[in-house]
Amino acid sequence: MAIKIICDAVSNLFKSIVKDKNLDVKVMNVKVNIGNKEYNCYDDDLDVEEFSKHYYEMMDQGEMAKTTLVNPQEYIDAFEAEVSQGNEVICFTMAKGISGTYNSALMAMNEINEKYGKEMVYVIDTMTAGLGEGMQVIHADELIKQGKSFKEVVDEAEKYKLSVRSDFTVGNVKYLIKTGRASKALAKFVNFLKIKVLLKHNDESKIALLTTAIGKANAMKKLANTVIEKIDKKVPHTIYITHCNVLEDAEAFKQLLIDGGITNNIEIYYYDLVSGAHIGPGSLAVFYLAKKGQTK
């Protein structure tokens, strides 16, 4: 019997990342539709990193991207495939406050656990998205490889998620407003073209306003200062920066962190296609472990 990890495509764990980090995880596919064409985010034939450039360029030109949920039956099938082999499953999903994916996984978990008469599947609301979810998956994979039990991994994963902080700034807040991923209160900033909003995932698994800044340069500085102030320097960990086709901004942001005294390993990736559809081109996010009391 083994412990298996399942997560959704919003984890930002592209196949190249899974391979590079030697992760034993299953990423549930999610479909995106843009330009009247449907794509499977984790299709073997899709170069996610290369496609991301085209994807965000299309959005920048006015195309709206639409995404699908992982439905309960897909989770049931994925859980059953593992549990029927005697394996236990820990499933990570994006924040329940911004998607129905968590509820789909929960429904599937309840059906499988009831069928087998014991807890074989456990679902974790990561309270975030992107590599905030991905960080939690990577950590759980490390715990399993250390020989931790199912309960030990679950308990530590539930604690670990409370230390993960996700902060980001968007190119245009209209995408979050249109897709209902942010409060309508943020809409008042849309008409002020020089106002940049800085956002975070809060303890209600929703997106909340962190602060505002005048212009992109100031927004980047404020975002960097937030990380420098709140990061837990006592716990070695990788900082992840993701971007929606603004690599130069991501590199500049990384340098701001280094100039601010951050010595952590810092990795940069394209933002995942699913949540990227809701934050839009020009957006940049950072994921890291925060000091106690500084997570949300």
Side-chain angles (χ1 to χ4, degrees), residues 19-216:
K19 182 179 178 180
D20 289 345
K21 295 186 179 296
N22 192 31
L23 302 176
D24 183 15
V25 303
K26 174 180 174 56
V27 181
M28 299 292 288
N29 211 337
V30 174
K31 295 177 181 179
V32 296
N33 189 299
I34 190 167
N36 295 318
K37 188 173 180 180
E38 190 173 72
Y39 300 88
N40 289 321
C41 294
Y42 286 77
D43 195 306
D44 288 334
D45 296 329
L46 185 69
D47 184 328
V48 180
E49 290 89 342
E50 188 60 35
F51 177 71
S52 294
K53 300 175 186 178
H54 179 56
Y55 181 72
Y56 292 117
E57 284 173 358
M58 285 193 289
M59 290 183 68
D60 213 19
Q61 293 165 6
E63 294 279 359
M64 287 299 293
K66 297 181 180 179
T67 62
T68 61
L69 293 174
V70 182
N71 64 53
Q73 188 58 52
E74 289 176 292
Y75 274 122
I76 288 172
D77 293 342
F79 295 164
E80 177 67 31
E82 296 297 344
V83 175
S84 65
Q85 299 297 314
N87 298 325
E88 296 166 308
V89 176
I90 302 175
C91 177
F92 293 82
T93 75
M94 70 183 96
K96 65 182 179 182
I98 60 174
S99 170
T101 298
Y102 170 78
N103 287 330
S104 291
L106 203 62
M107 290 172 62
M109 177 196 78
N110 289 334
E111 180 167 324
I112 294 296
N113 287 344
E114 183 177 348
K115 176 180 178 180
Y116 284 86
K118 58 182 176 179
E119 187 176 61
M120 298 295 290
V121 179
Y122 187 90
V123 177
I124 294 176
D125 165 23
T126 65
M127 301 171 64
T128 182
L131 272 165
E133 177 182 337
M135 284 179 68
Q136 296 177 46
V137 171
I138 292 168
H139 181 64
D141 182 73
E142 292 171 349
L143 295 175
I144 292 170
K145 288 172 179 172
Q146 291 170 13
K148 301 284 187 181
S149 69
F150 180 72
K151 185 179 187 307
E152 287 173 330
V153 177
V154 165
D155 289 347
E156 190 158 340
E158 286 286 7
K159 292 177 183 177
Y160 185 84
K161 76 178 186 182
L162 301 177
S163 297
V164 174
R165 188 175 172 99
S166 310
D167 299 323
F168 59 106
T169 181
V170 296
N172 193 322
V173 77
K174 71 178 183 181
Y175 293 97
L176 285 169
I177 302 300
K178 284 183 178 180
T179 58
R181 259 55 181 186
S183 165
K184 291 182 179 180
L186 292 177
K188 66 181 180 180
F189 295 111
V190 173
N191 295 325
F192 296 89
L193 300 181
K194 292 184 178 180
I195 294 288
K196 301 289 287 185
V197 293
L198 280 71
L199 305 160
K200 64 177 181 177
H201 285 277
N202 64 18
D203 55 7
E204 296 179 353
S205 292
K206 295 181 180 180
I207 295 172
L209 180 66
L210 176 62
T211 186
T212 60
I214 304 296
K216 182 169 71 175

Side-chain angles (χ1 to χ4, degrees), residues 224-233 237 239 253-266 288:
N225 287 338
T226 298
V227 177
I228 293 165
E229 174 191 349
K230 297 183 179 297
I231 191 169
D232 189 343
K233 296 180 180 178
H237 67 280
I239 297 172
F253 182 72
K254 176 179 178 178
Q255 191 59 51
L256 286 174
L257 296 181
I258 293 171
D259 292 345
I262 297 296
T263 59
N264 299 58
N265 177 49
I266 302 174
Y288 57 100

